[in-house]
Amino acid sequence: MKVLLGFLAGLVLALGSLSVSSKVQAQSQDSFCDDLVYQETSFLSSGELTKVRGEAEKLQNATASEVRVRVFVSANGAHIEDFVKQIESKCRSWRGPEGQTKNNLIAILITTEGHDFLIWTGAGWEKALPDSKLAKI
């Protein structure tokens, strides 16, 4: 939990002066897809959830990005990258006009059983957050 909060706070500091625009404004009302923070389990207490949501809001506001923090028990037997692709295929609001990951998306996925952690970003973040840097986090 402290690692997640520290990570989000670090992203706010590191990316605070950057922004990426997205041409798609339509949003689904589906909380699974569109809530800032979603957890399928009660891994985070209400106090921790409030803190994570606050840091995610800071990151979203500082970068003009769409931030999604997702906490799952497991990736249902899939590799975490395949799991996030499954989620993205269900969440239209995560995709741009041609079906690709939305340019300004920063999705942070965590599984509690497998201790998996993934930062999934749109193409607009490739220079600021290249895969080589994300792999080291």
Side-chain angles (χ1 to χ4, degrees), residues 57-122:
E57 284 175 352
K58 287 179 192 175
L59 176 60
Q60 186 165 269
N61 293 336
T63 61
S65 58
E66 291 188 35
V67 175
R68 303 291 182 261
V69 179
R70 300 291 178 265
V71 180
F72 296 96
V73 173
S74 75
N76 299 325
H79 186 276
I80 192 149
E81 287 186 9
D82 295 328
F83 187 56
V84 75
K85 288 176 186 176
Q86 292 171 12
I87 295 169
E88 186 178 62
S89 72
K90 296 175 185 174
C91 295
R92 184 176 177 180
S93 63
W94 289 33
R95 299 187 312 262
E98 280 112 39
Q100 78 287 6
T101 303
K102 192 178 277 187
N103 281 343
N104 66 340
L105 180 73
I106 300 174
I108 301 164
L109 279 82
I110 300 158
T111 65
T112 59
E113 272 183 9
H115 305 285
D116 295 313
F117 180 80
L118 177 71
I119 303 166
W120 187 258
T121 61

Side-chain angles (χ1 to χ4, degrees), residues 18-30:
L18 303 174
S19 67
V20 175
S21 64
S22 174
K23 295 179 183 175
V24 178
Q25 298 299 321
Q27 292 285 320
S28 157
Q29 296 303 312
D30 184 1

